[in-house]
Amino acid sequence: MWIFFILALQAMIIIAWSSLRPVRVFFDADVFRNVMTIFITYAFLNFLQATLDIILTWNALKNMKFTQWLRYFLKFFVAAVWIIVLPVSYSSSSQNPSGLVKFGTSWDLSRFFEKKRWARFQSSLWFQTLCLSFVIPPLRKKLEQSNMRIITVLIWWAQPKLFVGRGMDEDMLSVMKYTLFWIMLLISKLAFSYYVEILPLVGPTKLIMGMSIDNYQWHEFFPENETHNICVVIAIWAPIILVYFMDTQIWYAIYATLLGVIVGAVGHLGEIRTLEMLRSRFQSVPGAFSLRFWTGRDTKTKQVELDETYERNNISYFSQFWNEFINSMREEDLISDRDRDFLLIPYSSTHVSVIQWPPFLLASKIPIAVDMAKDYTKKTDDDLYKKIRSDGYMFSAVIECYETLKDIILKLLLDEDDRLAVSSICAKVERSIREETFVKEFKMSGLPSLIDKFGEFVTELQSEDGKRQSKIVNVLQDIVEIITQDVMVDGHLFPQTLQEYHVDRRQRFVNIDTSFTGNESVMGKVIRLHLLLTVKDSAINVPQNLEARRRITFFANSLFMNMPKAPKVRNMLSVSILTPYYKQDVLYSDADLNSENEDGISLLFYLTKMYPDEWANFHERLKSEGLEKDTDELICQWASYRGQTLYRTVRGMMYYWQALILQCFIESAGDIALTEGYSDKNKNLYEDAQAMADLKFTYVISSQLYGSLKSSKYARDRNCYHNILSLMLKHSSLRVAYIDETEETKDGKSHKVYSSVLVKGGIRFDEEIYRIKLPGPPTLIGEGIPENQNHAIIFTRGEALQTRDMNQDNYYEESFKMRNVLEEFRKEHNGQRKPTILGIREHIFTGSVSSLACFMSNEKTSLVTIGHRILANPLRVRFHYGHSDIFDRIFHITRGGISKASKVINLNQDIFAGFNTTLRQGFITHHEYIQVGKGHDTGMNQISLYEAKDAIGNGEQTLSRDVYRLGQRFDFYRMLSFYFTTVGFYFSSMITVLTVYVFLYGRIYVVLSGVEREILQNRNIHQSKTLEEALATQSIVQLGLLLVLPMVMEIGLEKGFRTALGDFIIMQLQLASVFFTFQLGTKAHYYGRTLLHGGSKYRPTGRGFVVFHATFADNYRRYSRSHFVKGLEILILLIVYEVYGSSYRSSHLYLFITISMWFLATSWLFAPFLFNPYGFDWQKTVDDWTDWKRWMGNRGGIGISPHKSWEFWWDEENDHLKYSNLRGKILEIILAFRFFVYQYGIVYHMDITHHNKDLLVFGLSWAALIIIFILLKASQMVSLKRQRIGTDFNLMFRILKALRFLGFLAVMTVLFVVYGLTISDLLAAIISFMPSGWAIILIAQTFKVCLKGSQLWDSVKELSRAYEYVMGLIIFLPIVILSWVPHASECQTRLLFNEAFSRGLQISMILAGKWAAYKSD
């Protein structure tokens, strides 16, 4: 890849230098010959690659076979031959043309064009090349998979004799898709690079190389006249070349985003994204559900599918699952009882003649129909009937209300005469409708009062008042009276008719029986009837909870996506779920919830204000279910279900088990389930379904410390054990695997024995099932999480294995789809290939906590949706990313497992499972019709730790053999996809930051050397804006726009582009660019440091809610080296350039670039405090300053942590240099030398030098710097001795201080008066000497092993402390100013928690601790 980009850059520079158009190059012999030098460059690069292969594998050569190292040395020899042959052949061809040049000059091109031979030749050549690019990969796959001896010998040169990495090529269709994707992308990238970055810069470069520069502002070692101003050319071209190598990442983001949106739209994603869209398509939802989930049902013809019985069966089947889904959301307190009643569907609608839809579709239809009838003035029923019939939901609501009321009233009446009277009224209504005389026989004006009475009637049916029966009788009598007097035209005759049947004339409708309303199904009808009759507003806001809306709309939308049909439960693939657990929160205790932080805020109070509607629903559920006695325990569970706890994860995973029981029960029950619904009353069917679910599903928690938690003396550990035990006792399918440590005595010696143990819940305690002896403690050999998974994988069962992190959740409705998604393993993709890993979509459920959580939620959502979508198809480079992917368990157990656990190199262990699968001919897909929940970090420090861990892991991936093998075995275009979607993203981030440094240091060079002043005299150079245009692309990455684009497009696809635009604007107002710019620095720092020095380690991020204030000292410890030092360096560069330079001051593009760099520096310096709760509170600021001074001044001691002492933190911060190799230390020293540029350049601009350009001036500046260091050291030693010596010598020390002060005044007076020192010189000296001192510290740190223990090392440490003090003061000063400004803290709170504000959360009240009202409740 790098060879391609280097050769393309060389060719474009040669073409641009020739001033010819790219197409004309083929017809100019000299230019074409120059372009052909790319082959010479290729030979040199190939030789360099062969050399590096030998160097990097030198230590392993002794363990290689003869054929392997012979291959390396033969490649080296052939490469060496080519770097001799090609240059010699090229140099001789310039005098004696040969080859293509001779061919081109010896023909009459005009005649060639006339016969169109050239066009045919060119088309044929390109077509053959394209065909070969598609044919070769499948052919190579066949050859690599062959074990024939002759084929093995033939491909020996291209491929080592390894099992891994063979047969990785995709089918021809897939190759065509990702090849065309990259051809289009590369054409766009190269065209942009040529016309925007390279071509406009060639002209100014020629002018600069031809200029004569004599007036330098410093001592120039290499006069530019002798080297054609090559240093200036390098300063101009270096950032452009870095942008050239980086901007492919931008083009990939653009193309991948656009293609991902297209693929998502084709896959029906986002078709139902609002409740309004759901209402419009709900009629087709039951049929779509039955089509994908109803097993054993034959495919119906179109005519049969339109049959009402078929539709009724679909709705009846769908209602079993839909109602359980709605009830699960009620159990989770996402919806209220009223919302639940609106959403439920009757299990059977046989008692009515129309299909019964959920009430949220029928709400307000009855009042609207009554108003229509009341205002109807025509004499016939036709128009009124058509109006009602045109709205299918209204028609269903009218018929259902009539028939249900008739049924309930007839069952309510005990007197046969009363029933006969009601029947006669109903017969009259039905006859008039049938004969279309309804408006003639009934008065429409009386319908509103009648409907009101019916509403009162059903209300009384629901009441539990002791006088209910008498009230019902009164309402019934009123209803009959309204019907006969106000509604019926001939109603006055109706009482006389009744008298014919009742001679005694006793009072009617008093003999009733209300006992039948105690039946659950009857009460369901009453509740449904009450909603239809009394709700006068459309239920457009049902449900009100945003999470419930999202789940309902996604579930409905997924039914129309490309989903395999579910098999019967007994025929499905069995699946196990594995969750690694260490010592995280299992269940929040009462103390955890009610303990207050330093601001007086408890976690429970925070959660109740964060989820006010769910808190209200929770209390409503307690009251309706009579659970007030267990309030404390249930509150702990309620809070735990809203955190990232194991309790929440287990509940979600056990939804799979519950869903399988439901599905198996429905399959076994048949028509009974369709009419009566799902329940556990039929014990035989329920027990059989539960047994089948136990066979098909197993959940294993790999809690490596479960044994130690069980025997621990600490209360928190014991609570974790008891909570895990309670989970096992509650869920019969839950298992816990742990590592047990025991002692055995053998031959009189005691030694430890380690075993993997599997336990399950018994009657009261856990019961051991299996015990497997281990050779040693696995978690000490490898990384914790992967070894935790590896020791427990043996206890999983079945064909499929799903890995779920402890911060993940699952949804009941999504559990229905497990059978469907497992069918993907049986489904052939791209010919004969079957998947080995199924990728699943995730939803980040922590996005509403704060603005930072919203940023990360949107970023990660775009990654796991549009990102993984395009990786799986068409790029074919999706791997495993630590998410809820489903593995082919048999495939992976026989090929090394699902987790590589080598220390350091496998820090990001998850993606290596994907690497391993791909290298062993596995196939990875991605499916978005099913989703799971996942939590993420919510605070600035948590997010930064996560990004740092990811960057470090990608640094180790870059150095791993897995990445090397994949890069070697992929074809060119698939390798591009692999690089730019894994380590290339982090490498591009590092290049982005490096571009800023290279640009600014290049500007510093031309300014301080005086070259810029000479160049500016040329107008052509002054008007050139090429450099700024190229760097503008780099600024896009700086501002985080590269990450925002996929977010906006994915939100637009799934929620609408109007919503996406609104979210984008809100994110910018919340300073999302500041956040992403800051995280860019995190990625660049830790990735670059890992490449230089290695030494990665796991960094726990914490998953709690961040409502506390991080101290200034804590932020300083975290970000000093990664952001603050670099931010101050860029700030100094910008200041020096603004002070000493004036190039392109009038250019708007240059202004944009400079602003972006100022923005970068300030973001790195102040973002942690901007996104820190209470960051600008005056009292907090004062406390932070006191805490920081205490931390800086603490000398430390034995057992002192880095959080208590600056010295220990400083030693820990430099630990990576202790384990660095010689290469890393040398590079560290070389990078440190950049800080000497300031001193070398600025001293020659000081007035005291009197324009002297001699090298002695720089030497004298070093002498002055050394004298300053000596004086500072002497002053420190005097101070230390003063502390040790008694008070008798205080007068002597005071005299010494006075003499020191007088001497300083004398020296400064001489410098000002005699040598012409000025105030500006003093400021310049500070700016020039400070970086030099920092460089000395960096260089000394690399020699820590040699210097430690000496007096010189103590001086380095004290000098570092002084620099830390200065840095802290510079950063702290703006915070003090903002803390002093009124309302700054309130604005910051509004900024941090804007997302929560939009959901009605008054976070300012939370952070201010104003919760007296809450306590009183």
Side-chain angles (χ1 to χ4, degrees), residues 836-1074:
T836 52
I837 295 180
L838 305 178
I840 291 180
R841 171 195 177 101
E842 287 183 345
H843 166 70
I844 309 299
F845 56 74
T846 52
S848 61
V849 174
S850 66
S851 58
L852 295 181
C854 177
F855 299 158
M856 288 304 296
S857 173
N858 288 334
E859 180 188 350
K860 294 303 176 183
T861 299
S862 65
L863 171 65
V864 299
T865 53
I866 198 170
H868 290 178
R869 184 186 310 147
I870 195 71
L871 291 181
N873 184 33
L875 299 186
R876 299 298 184 199
V877 288
R878 190 194 187 278
F879 301 108
H880 175 56
Y881 303 97
H883 306 304
S884 50
D885 294 349
I886 303 177
F887 292 85
D888 183 334
R889 181 172 171 272
I890 306 302
F891 178 92
H892 286 87
I893 282 183
T894 56
R895 288 165 177 81
I898 62 171
S899 299
K900 285 195 173 184
S902 300
K903 284 240 181 231
V904 180
I905 195 70
N906 294 134
L907 178 65
N908 288 0
Q909 81 285 350
D910 306 295
I911 197 169
F912 285 94
F915 292 165
N916 188 54
T917 298
T918 305
L919 285 167
R920 285 161 174 79
Q921 303 178 31
F923 183 55
I924 305 174
T925 58
H926 182 69
H927 309 279
E928 295 189 88
Y929 53 78
I930 183 172
Q931 68 172 352
V932 298
K934 183 177 176 64
H936 212 280
D937 307 298
T938 59
M940 186 69 175
N941 293 341
Q942 292 178 345
I943 294 171
S944 295
L945 283 172
Y946 172 81
E947 294 288 356
K949 183 183 73 172
D950 253 12
I952 292 171
N954 274 269
E956 294 295 345
Q957 291 173 37
T958 308
L959 305 174
S960 67
R961 68 179 182 182
D962 302 78
V963 170
Y964 173 78
R965 285 174 174 172
L966 286 169
Q968 291 289 315
R969 302 313 308 154
F970 278 148
D971 60 76
F972 177 71
Y973 297 108
R974 197 176 177 198
M975 180 265 296
L976 288 174
S977 304
F978 166 64
Y979 170 77
F980 285 106
T981 56
T982 51
V983 297
F985 174 76
Y986 287 86
F987 190 79
S988 297
S989 300
M990 187 178 67
I991 293 295
T992 301
V993 176
L994 186 61
T995 303
V996 177
Y997 283 96
V998 171
F999 170 75
L1000 288 176
Y1001 275 103
R1003 296 291 93 190
I1004 291 296
Y1005 163 74
V1006 298
V1007 166
L1008 296 180
S1009 65
V1011 174
E1012 183 187 62
R1013 182 177 300 176
E1014 298 293 322
I1015 293 176
L1016 285 179
Q1017 296 176 359
N1018 190 310
R1019 292 186 176 180
N1020 294 327
I1021 298 296
H1022 182 70
Q1023 296 299 324
S1024 176
K1025 300 179 182 178
T1026 307
L1027 183 61
E1028 298 91 316
E1029 291 173 354
L1031 288 175
T1033 60
Q1034 178 262 357
S1035 301
I1036 292 174
V1037 183
Q1038 282 184 30
L1039 298 176
L1041 300 181
L1042 184 64
L1043 296 173
V1044 172
L1045 178 63
M1047 295 182 207
V1048 173
M1049 297 301 289
E1050 184 62 24
I1051 294 173
L1053 175 64
E1054 299 193 25
K1055 298 182 181 179
F1057 285 96
R1058 182 184 301 175
T1059 303
L1061 180 61
D1063 289 350
F1064 174 75
I1065 294 173
I1066 291 174
M1067 286 177 62
Q1068 298 311 308
L1069 294 176
Q1070 292 175 315
L1071 303 184
S1073 294
V1074 174

Side-chain angles (χ1 to χ4, degrees), residues 134 138 170-179 830 874 876:
F134 294 144
E170 295 289 333
D171 62 285
M172 190 173 296
L173 179 61
S174 298
V175 172
M176 289 179 64
K177 287 193 290 187
Y178 65 70
T179 300
N830 301 314
R876 299 298 184 199

Side-chain angles (χ1 to χ4, degrees), residues 1033-1269:
T1033 60
Q1034 178 262 357
S1035 301
I1036 292 174
V1037 183
Q1038 282 184 30
L1039 298 176
L1041 300 181
L1042 184 64
L1043 296 173
V1044 172
L1045 178 63
M1047 295 182 207
V1048 173
M1049 297 301 289
E1050 184 62 24
I1051 294 173
L1053 175 64
E1054 299 193 25
K1055 298 182 181 179
F1057 285 96
R1058 182 184 301 175
T1059 303
L1061 180 61
D1063 289 350
F1064 174 75
I1065 294 173
I1066 291 174
M1067 286 177 62
Q1068 298 311 308
L1069 294 176
Q1070 292 175 315
L1071 303 184
S1073 294
V1074 174
F1075 170 76
F1076 288 120
T1077 301
F1078 186 85
Q1079 297 307 330
L1080 172 68
T1082 304
K1083 296 182 181 76
H1085 171 79
Y1086 287 101
Y1087 180 77
R1089 196 173 79 173
T1090 304
L1091 291 183
L1092 276 179
H1093 308 292
S1096 65
K1097 61 181 180 180
Y1098 180 77
R1099 296 170 180 260
T1101 61
R1103 291 167 178 162
F1105 296 99
V1106 180
V1107 291
F1108 57 86
H1109 171 79
T1111 64
F1112 178 82
D1114 190 26
N1115 283 328
Y1116 189 86
R1117 284 189 292 268
R1118 292 180 186 275
Y1119 307 117
S1120 174
R1121 295 300 180 268
S1122 59
H1123 293 84
F1124 295 162
V1125 171
K1126 295 178 174 61
L1128 285 173
E1129 180 184 358
I1130 294 175
L1131 209 61
I1132 293 173
L1133 284 168
L1134 289 168
I1135 292 172
V1136 171
Y1137 182 61
E1138 291 297 325
V1139 171
Y1140 293 99
S1142 60
S1143 67
Y1144 307 112
R1145 288 286 174 87
S1146 61
S1147 171
H1148 296 294
L1149 274 174
Y1150 184 76
L1151 182 63
F1152 172 74
I1153 294 165
T1154 308
I1155 289 176
S1156 71
M1157 292 179 182
W1158 281 97
F1159 181 81
L1160 176 73
T1162 53
S1163 296
W1164 286 3
L1165 290 174
F1166 301 110
F1169 311 104
L1170 185 64
F1171 295 111
N1172 182 24
Y1174 275 137
F1176 301 140
D1177 180 78
W1178 178 255
Q1179 187 57 48
K1180 293 288 185 185
T1181 303
V1182 173
D1183 295 341
D1184 286 354
W1185 173 251
T1186 305
D1187 176 69
W1188 185 70
K1189 284 199 306 180
R1190 186 187 305 114
W1191 175 71
M1192 288 292 300
N1194 194 341
R1195 297 285 174 176
I1198 298 175
I1200 300 297
S1201 68
H1203 296 277
K1204 300 294 184 181
S1205 169
W1206 173 86
E1207 288 189 7
F1208 277 79
W1209 168 81
W1210 190 70
D1211 289 334
E1212 185 184 73
E1213 194 67 23
N1214 298 320
D1215 275 348
H1216 64 279
L1217 294 171
K1218 186 189 304 183
Y1219 306 103
S1220 180
N1221 54 22
L1222 181 61
R1223 179 202 63 189
K1225 291 182 178 180
I1226 292 174
L1227 289 174
E1228 189 74 26
I1229 294 172
I1230 293 173
L1231 291 174
F1233 268 85
R1234 73 183 185 272
F1235 291 103
F1236 295 131
V1237 173
Y1238 300 89
Q1239 182 180 345
Y1240 183 78
I1242 293 176
V1243 293
Y1244 287 102
H1245 287 263
M1246 296 171 65
D1247 296 330
I1248 196 173
T1249 63
H1250 303 292
H1251 304 290
N1252 188 351
K1253 304 302 183 293
D1254 200 293
L1255 188 61
L1256 181 62
V1257 174
F1258 184 59
L1260 290 174
S1261 70
W1262 271 104
L1265 183 61
I1266 293 172
I1267 291 171
I1268 292 172
F1269 285 157

Side-chain angles (χ1 to χ4, degrees), residues 1377-1390:
I1377 296 173
L1378 287 173
S1379 300
W1380 180 77
V1381 174
H1383 306 296
S1385 182
E1386 288 80 358
C1387 292
Q1388 183 201 26
T1389 300
R1390 184 70 172 85

Side-chain angles (χ1 to χ4, degrees), residues 234-399:
I234 292 174
I236 294 175
W237 276 85
I240 298 298
I241 291 175
L242 288 177
V243 171
Y244 166 80
F245 286 118
M246 178 273 299
D247 63 0
T248 308
Q249 191 76 48
I250 300 176
W251 286 103
Y252 170 78
I254 295 172
Y255 270 81
T257 300
L258 295 177
L259 185 59
V261 169
I262 294 172
V263 173
V266 172
H268 305 285
L269 195 63
E271 290 184 353
I272 301 177
R273 54 179 179 267
T274 64
L275 292 178
E276 191 61 35
M277 291 181 174
L278 176 64
R279 286 183 176 86
S280 65
R281 296 189 60 177
F282 196 86
Q283 288 182 327
S284 58
V285 169
F289 183 87
S290 300
L291 182 65
R292 287 159 177 80
F293 291 93
W294 199 342
T295 59
R297 195 181 198 195
D298 298 331
T299 304
K300 305 294 183 182
T301 63
K302 203 69 177 177
Q303 183 177 1
V304 174
E305 289 180 1
L306 294 175
D307 184 71
E308 185 177 346
T309 304
Y310 183 81
E311 187 177 7
R312 281 177 176 271
N313 289 337
N314 285 338
I315 295 174
S316 180
Y317 179 78
F318 171 68
S319 66
Q320 318 300 318
F321 300 91
W322 173 265
N323 290 345
E324 292 300 317
F325 165 33
I326 300 303
N327 288 327
S328 72
M329 288 200 296
R330 182 64 193 96
E331 290 295 319
E332 297 171 13
D333 298 315
L334 294 180
I335 59 176
S336 63
D337 289 340
R338 181 178 174 82
D339 290 342
R340 177 196 58 195
D341 295 337
F342 268 113
L343 293 168
L344 290 177
I345 302 176
Y347 289 110
S348 177
S349 58
T350 54
H351 67 283
V352 294
S353 60
V354 293
I355 295 173
Q356 291 181 290
W357 300 104
F360 82 98
L361 299 175
L362 310 179
S364 75
K365 297 299 182 182
I366 295 297
I368 293 174
V370 170
D371 290 340
M372 290 170 55
K374 181 187 68 173
D375 300 333
Y376 189 74
T377 58
K378 295 184 179 181
K379 300 299 182 179
T380 59
D381 298 353
D382 296 344
D383 291 342
L384 180 61
Y385 183 80
K386 288 179 180 178
K387 288 180 181 180
I388 295 176
R389 187 75 184 188
S390 63
D391 187 341
Y393 291 140
M394 182 182 294
F395 181 77
S396 297
V398 170
I399 299 299

